Amino acid sequence: MTHDDSTDPSLDLTIDERPVASYDGGVPGHIAIIMDGNGRWASRQDMPRIRGHRAGASSVRAVVEACRYLQMDVLTLYAFSTENWSRPDDEVTGLMTLFDVYIERERERLIGNDIRLQVIGDREGLPATLRDAIEELEAASVEDAEMTLQVAINYGGREELVRATRSIGEAVDAGELDPDAIDESTLEEHLYTAGRPDPDLVVRTSGEMRISNFLLWQMAYSELFVTETLWPDFNEYELVDALREFDDRERRFGQTDQQLDS
Ligand code: IPE
Ligand code: IPE
Ligand code: MG
């Protein structure tokens, strides 16, 4: 992979002989990725952190393309957490600009490849121009989509659960919902991810063994895969490694392996 931001966008998938093309194992319906390590990638090369984020955008393109090629239903990317606002101002501003650039640059490619954008997170907290661009592309990319690209921006799992709880409380208060009728599906319907499946596989790059407030509810039974590779170095080869490992896992959902065998 190159990290050249000037590559001409083309509507067609460019994957042919590459590893995803020869991968013949199982493909999860939904992969979620905690894209981590951009800052370290840049620091190791004596570059400002924002250069790492820019390089990470190339990995995003490669992985989106590979997942679409594999006919995945949903790919979720963790781009900015509710905690990331506490970073230096110039990094936060640089990231918001990068999201604007991504949406503008990838618009035709996403639409042309039947990919629908859905942003999860508190969008009210985003700059208005970015929010408008997100909503424009969400609306433009709805029809005939084969894959959903779910991007978590200003997303926090706790914020999502608090928001859901508040809105359930309001429904009870308005007499629209009986507290005895509240079950897991009620909560799910009030999450940002309502109507979309939970991730089968959660990948984290850069070796950190933590969840960092990502999809707290939704990843209850996700398989986890952590690679030491920093996000800007993550590519289709790494994705195939994760898929192979996922394919070897036995998901038991609380049952015994004997039960699963029979
Ligand atoms: C992930 O890379 C991107 C965001 C959180 C926005 P980092 O910026 O966290 O990179 P490291 O962890 O500092 O290397
Ligand atoms: C998690 O990465 C958030 C995103 C990838 C957007 P962080 O780098 O913010 O997580 P911590 O601070 O190391 O837990
Ligand atoms: Mg990090």
Side-chain angles (χ1 to χ4, degrees):
M1 283 309 297
T2 73
H3 296 295
D4 178 6
D5 292 343
S6 65
T7 316
D8 255 347
S10 116
L11 296 187
D12 296 319
L13 298 170
T14 53
I15 286 163
D16 40 38
E17 298 301 314
R18 295 196 290 194
V20 282
S22 52
Y23 175 72
D24 57 3
V27 175
H30 180 180
I31 293 188
I33 306 180
I34 303 175
M35 310 183 287
D36 199 14
N38 296 349
R40 277 163 283 170
W41 184 90
S43 300
R44 281 176 196 176
Q45 300 170 70
D46 282 328
M47 297 197 293
R49 292 176 59 85
I50 194 67
R51 291 284 295 278
H53 297 310
R54 264 187 226 141
S58 300
S59 304
V60 169
R61 181 183 281 179
V63 169
V64 168
E65 193 164 290
C67 290
R68 175 70 186 91
Y69 182 90
L70 292 164
Q71 300 187 317
M72 208 168 286
D73 298 322
V74 184
L75 168 65
T76 299
L77 299 176
Y78 199 8
F80 194 89
S81 74
T82 47
E83 288 71 32
N84 288 147
W85 294 109
S86 61
R87 293 191 177 196
D89 286 349
D90 61 337
E91 182 169 348
V92 170
T93 310
L95 280 163
M96 294 300 146
T97 304
L98 206 55
F99 299 146
D100 272 327
V101 169
Y102 178 83
I103 286 177
E104 196 190 323
R105 202 182 54 190
E106 300 298 314
R107 186 180 191 282
E108 297 308 316
R109 180 183 286 262
L110 293 175
I111 293 173
N113 286 322
D114 292 332
I115 299 170
R116 174 189 193 188
L117 177 79
Q118 280 292 171
V119 167
I120 57 171
D122 181 8
R123 57 183 69 194
E124 295 309 310
L126 297 175
T129 47
L130 175 59
R131 190 169 61 239
D132 291 348
I134 287 169
E135 290 177 355
E136 193 281 325
L137 183 51
E138 282 177 332
S141 61
V142 160
E143 251 176 280
D144 298 334
E146 296 285 344
M147 182 175 100
T148 298
L149 173 61
Q150 187 167 247
V151 183
I153 305 181
N154 194 18
Y155 174 87
R158 289 182 169 180
E159 192 275 337
E160 180 180 41
L161 289 168
V162 167
R163 172 184 291 253
T165 308
R166 191 183 303 124
S167 110
I168 290 170
E170 284 164 4
V172 169
D173 213 30
E176 295 158 3
L177 181 63
D178 175 359
D180 289 332
I182 297 172
D183 58 13
E184 292 186 8
S185 69
T186 318
L187 214 122
E188 266 159 16
E189 284 158 20
H190 287 84
L191 298 176
Y192 292 124
T193 53
R196 292 189 285 279
D198 291 340
D200 300 292
L201 172 65
V202 173
V203 172
R204 183 166 188 151
T205 57
S206 87
E208 307 295 356
M209 293 288 189
R210 57 179 171 263
I211 288 170
S212 303
N213 205 9
F214 191 43
L215 301 177
L216 297 180
W217 172 279
Q218 296 88 339
M219 67 161 75
Y221 265 105
S222 305
E223 296 295 320
L224 306 178
F225 178 86
V226 177
T227 169
E228 292 292 328
T229 302
L230 306 176
W231 178 249
D233 292 328
F234 192 90
N235 56 30
E236 310 97 281
Y237 291 88
E238 299 276 332
L239 180 70
V240 167
D241 286 347
L243 293 174
R244 287 223 172 84
E245 177 153 335
F246 176 81
D247 204 28
D248 281 343
R249 300 271 180 93
E250 181 179 64
R251 303 183 76 187
R252 286 199 281 275
F253 298 101
Q255 292 189 298
T256 67
D257 48 2
Q258 288 89 343
Q259 283 177 299
L260 291 168
D261 286 345
S262 64

